[in-house]
């Protein structure tokens, strides 16, 4: 059985979703139906771990507020399929545990596509990647907002991350720059903590598999050449730890 939670404040919308889910996959069991931000907060705090939920179907604007008020404060235990009448929260959805974003009114085909994506991501079943946060799902892509659109960048393609003033940018294998939504390099470092990134100085992170070669620049400082062609330098205080990290 696949345990699911529905977060929706409209009874007719909940009934429609349950009916479509029953038609889609008989193994889906809706273990809870939540109607408000307050209920979501209480559930995440007190009951989520006991319910052993594998997927959440979540509206965004509920009768007492926006569900991201909770999602930004508390970790979600599993992937979320968002079903909403608003298209303003796409980036926020994929910055949380979102894997699909359905706009109302949606049909069975759209739901089936979202469900197929969940099934693909869940086989093999993911292990916990952040025990302190209680996360059971590991996001392998970052949502990048560009003008009025959102596209996705595979984390494995990122060679390095750089902070410049108030901007945080990721660079890929082709040396293409992608502007991230993080407020600081520290925030990006925390979000990427489950991936092989290392902070080599105050403003740059590098990903291990993209480190192509090392050369001594001066005493206690290295020049790192990455697969995208970029050459970065370690700070004196980080060089020893960087060498240890590479081993």
């Amino acid at each position: 059985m696949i345990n699911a939670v529905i977060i929706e404040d409209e009874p007719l919308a909940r009934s429609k979703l349950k009916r479509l889910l029953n038609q889609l996959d008989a193994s889906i069991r809706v273990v809870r139906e939540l109607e408000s931000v307050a209920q979501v907060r209480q559930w995440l705090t007190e009951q989520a771990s006991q319910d052993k939920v594998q997927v959440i179907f979540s509206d965004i604007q509920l009768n007492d507020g926006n569900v991201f008020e909770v999602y930004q404060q508390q970790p979600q235990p599993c992937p979320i399929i968002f079903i909403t009448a608003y298209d303003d929260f796409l980036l926020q959805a994929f910055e949380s545990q979102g894997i699909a974003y359905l706009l109302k009114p949606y049909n069975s085909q759209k739901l089936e596509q979202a469900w197929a994506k969940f099934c693909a991501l869940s086989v093999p079943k993911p292990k916990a990647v952040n025990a302190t946060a209680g996360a059971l799902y590991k996001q392998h892509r970052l949502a990048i907002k560009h003008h009025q659109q959102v596209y996705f960048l595979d984390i494995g393609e990122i060679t390095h991350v750089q902070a410049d003033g108030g901007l945080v940018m990721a660079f890929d294998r082709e040396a293409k720059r992608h502007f991230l939504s993080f407020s600081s390099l520290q925030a990006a470092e925390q979000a990427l903590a489950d991936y092989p990134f290392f902070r080599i100085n105050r403003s740059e992170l590098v990903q291990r598999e993209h480190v192509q070669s090392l050369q001594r620049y001066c005493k206690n400082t290295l020049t790192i050449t990455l697969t995208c062609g970029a050459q970065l330098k370690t700070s004196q205080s980080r060089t020893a730890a960087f060498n240890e990290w590479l081993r």
Side-chain angles (χ1 to χ4, degrees):
M1 298 295 291
I2 298 174
N3 290 344
V5 164
I6 293 176
I7 299 172
E8 170 62 68
D9 61 354
E10 298 179 4
L12 290 178
R14 291 199 304 273
S15 296
K16 172 187 175 179
L17 179 55
K18 286 189 292 183
R19 174 174 54 82
L20 292 178
L21 290 176
N22 186 57
Q23 296 171 358
L24 181 63
D25 191 330
S27 68
I28 301 172
R29 183 179 67 165
V30 177
V31 296
R32 288 192 188 273
E33 299 177 35
L34 308 175
E35 303 178 25
S36 67
V37 172
Q39 288 181 354
V40 174
R41 180 178 288 108
Q42 182 181 12
W43 177 70
L44 286 174
T45 303
E46 301 176 2
Q47 298 141 343
S49 60
Q50 301 172 12
D51 288 341
K52 299 181 180 179
V53 175
Q54 283 90 47
V55 63
I56 296 170
F57 296 88
S58 179
D59 196 357
I60 294 176
Q61 290 287 8
L62 303 178
N63 54 32
D64 62 341
N66 188 305
V67 76
F68 285 114
E69 296 173 13
V70 181
Y71 291 162
Q72 291 171 355
Q73 298 172 356
Q74 296 178 268
Q76 303 90 64
C78 60
I80 302 173
I81 295 175
F82 287 95
I83 303 176
T84 177
Y86 302 90
D87 61 1
D88 303 336
F89 304 102
L90 185 61
L91 183 59
Q92 287 175 275
F94 287 101
E95 285 176 344
S96 62
Q97 298 281 45
I99 60 170
Y101 196 95
L102 304 185
L103 283 175
K104 298 176 181 177
Y106 63 96
N107 55 31
S108 59
Q109 183 179 6
K110 292 293 185 180
L111 182 62
E112 184 176 357
Q113 292 173 353
W115 186 248
K117 186 174 182 180
F118 164 75
C119 292
L121 290 169
S122 300
V123 181
K125 186 177 180 180
K127 296 180 180 179
V129 298
N130 190 337
T132 58
L136 298 181
Y137 171 70
K138 186 174 183 178
Q139 192 82 290
H140 295 286
R141 303 187 299 172
L142 293 178
I144 312 293
K145 189 173 183 179
H146 181 65
H147 299 303
Q148 299 302 314
Q149 298 181 332
V150 174
Y151 66 93
F152 301 96
L153 174 65
D154 287 340
I155 292 176
E157 294 294 309
I158 298 174
T159 59
H160 62 294
V161 178
Q162 185 179 83
D164 184 6
L167 298 176
V168 180
M169 302 160 284
F171 294 82
D172 62 23
R173 295 173 186 265
E174 306 300 322
K176 182 180 178 181
R177 182 175 56 185
H178 307 267
F179 290 97
L180 305 181
S181 61
F182 302 114
S183 59
S184 65
L185 188 68
Q186 182 180 6
E189 187 176 20
Q190 291 174 351
L192 296 170
D194 296 307
Y195 300 88
F197 284 87
F198 187 88
R199 184 194 283 248
I200 61 170
N201 53 46
R202 293 182 63 183
S203 61
E204 292 168 321
L205 309 173
V206 298
Q207 184 162 197
R208 185 195 304 271
E209 68 177 82
H210 294 292
V211 175
Q212 192 171 62
S213 64
L214 303 174
Q215 184 176 356
R216 185 164 297 282
Y217 178 71
C218 64
K219 184 178 180 181
N220 295 330
T221 301
L222 298 173
T223 297
I224 305 169
T225 300
L226 303 175
T227 54
C228 65
Q231 290 189 322
L232 311 178
K233 293 179 177 60
T234 61
S235 64
Q236 292 187 19
S237 62
R238 302 295 290 163
T239 299
F242 174 71
N243 282 328
E244 184 67 26
W245 175 75
L246 280 179
R247 294 176 183 174

